[in-house]
Amino acid sequence: YTRPRPVSPKGTGGPFMSAAHTPIIYREVRLGSMRKNVKRALSLLMAVCLMAGLWVPTLGANIKFSDIKGHWAESYVYAGAEVGYINGHPDGTFRPDDTVTRGQFSKMINHALGITNSAPITFVDCNSNAWYYPEVQKAIAAGYIAGYSSDNTFRADQPISRQEAAVIVARVISPPETEYALSALADSGTIADWAQPYVKTVYSKRYMVGDEQNRFLPEMALTRGAAVKIITLMLENETYIKNNPTISNSGASHRNTVFTNNVTVGSGVG
């Protein structure tokens, strides 16, 4: 049995992150001589998009948005809509250049990755009747985001920056096989110290890269188009197990696998 390694380096991960909640990724797990009745609960994430009252049910091959023809994110938007973790507005638009809030990005991650576990929350700015409330509960349970400790707020309606999004993404993917130096980015010096190891992870996996001028633009708000591109690439390249599996085969091996909810090691193993 190889102890799971955390996705990202130690540290706070920024003003709204808590290292204590960092999810665990199985880089490689071999089950052999484990003791009986061992149960490991691993939480992570998943998501869908817009504010609750703003999405329209457009499914399958009938999906059509009126404002993304020729947009650089067009293929990613339709891929995300096909999977079902994002949707459009009642007027038939997707608005790929609109910014994404902390609550919306949490919902996208939760739905895309199949996060269902939830945890109690006590943020002073989270009303239990708000559309994002259950999504924040899932995000906190998964451990990829936390609130602001200075005033115990979550700030669900606040736009999320690219470097903040990088922290979240880095915590829900497997480690890169090859790492690339951030110095290759023209604006690497503007990336916050707390975000650099996480940005390096997503940059190395090419989930988030520079623009046409090779700038990462860490403080720029994440757009809807960029969000669906990131999540589409994650779903294409990562292995996510969304159910609650029980592993009973002593010879089972899981490499670079993310269990988004719970995994139980059967009593017959070891």
Side-chain angles (χ1 to χ4, degrees):
Y1 173 73
T2 302
R3 186 187 182 93
R5 301 176 183 176
V7 175
S8 47
K10 294 180 180 179
T12 62
F16 70 96
M17 286 295 184
S18 170
H21 294 288
T22 303
I24 300 297
I25 308 301
Y26 275 104
R27 187 171 182 97
E28 183 167 11
V29 176
R30 297 187 185 282
L31 302 171
S33 59
M34 297 193 69
R35 296 179 181 178
K36 294 181 178 181
N37 299 317
V38 178
K39 185 175 182 179
R40 298 276 184 183
L42 301 176
S43 296
L44 266 186
L45 29 78
M46 163 176 216
V48 157
C49 61
L50 304 155
M51 297 179 85
L54 295 182
W55 17 324
V56 285
T58 51
L59 303 174
N62 295 322
I63 298 173
K64 203 72 176 176
F65 300 115
S66 62
D67 61 339
I68 64 171
K69 181 70 174 178
H71 192 278
W72 66 263
E74 180 179 2
S75 63
Y76 299 110
V77 171
Y78 282 124
E82 191 73 29
V83 172
Y85 68 83
I86 55 97
N87 226 313
H89 293 269
D91 62 0
T93 62
F94 182 78
R95 306 176 196 175
D97 296 319
D98 280 4
T99 58
V100 176
T101 66
R102 283 164 53 81
Q104 290 169 347
F105 195 55
S106 295
K107 187 175 182 180
M108 289 182 185
I109 293 292
N110 291 339
H111 285 256
L113 304 189
I115 305 277
T116 56
N117 289 341
S118 63
I121 56 176
T122 58
F123 300 117
V124 296
D125 61 341
C126 285
N127 188 307
S128 60
N129 294 321
W131 67 266
Y132 55 73
Y133 193 85
E135 304 303 333
V136 175
Q137 288 183 303
K138 294 174 188 177
I140 295 300
Y144 60 77
I145 195 172
Y148 291 83
S149 58
S150 59
D151 57 3
N152 192 34
T153 59
F154 185 81
R155 309 179 195 178
D157 294 324
Q158 177 175 295
I160 190 168
S161 71
R162 284 173 52 80
Q163 65 184 354
E164 290 170 340
V167 176
I168 291 175
V169 173
R171 287 179 166 175
V172 298
I173 60 176
S174 60
E177 296 292 334
T178 302
E179 291 190 338
Y180 296 96
L182 293 181
S183 57
L185 292 166
D187 61 347
S188 60
T190 65
I191 301 172
D193 291 343
W194 53 264
Q196 286 190 16
Y198 305 95
V199 173
K200 186 175 183 179
T201 294
V202 298
Y203 178 67
S204 296
K205 300 206 77 166
R206 295 301 191 250
Y207 295 158
M208 298 180 72
V209 295
D211 64 3
E212 64 279 357
Q213 298 179 48
N214 202 29
R215 301 172 301 172
F216 188 79
L217 304 172
E219 295 183 355
M220 178 178 286
L222 188 72
T223 64
R224 283 167 54 79
V228 295
K229 177 183 178 180
I230 293 166
I231 295 174
T232 296
L233 293 176
M234 288 165 54
L235 294 178
E236 289 178 349
N237 294 283
E238 302 289 334
T239 300
Y240 293 103
I241 296 181
K242 303 177 183 180
N243 58 5
N244 297 297
T246 296
I247 300 175
S248 56
N249 183 354
S250 61
S253 177
H254 295 275
R255 180 174 176 80
N256 292 338
T257 300
V258 182
F259 293 87
T260 62
N261 291 292
N262 297 327
V263 57
T264 301
V265 179
S267 60
V269 176

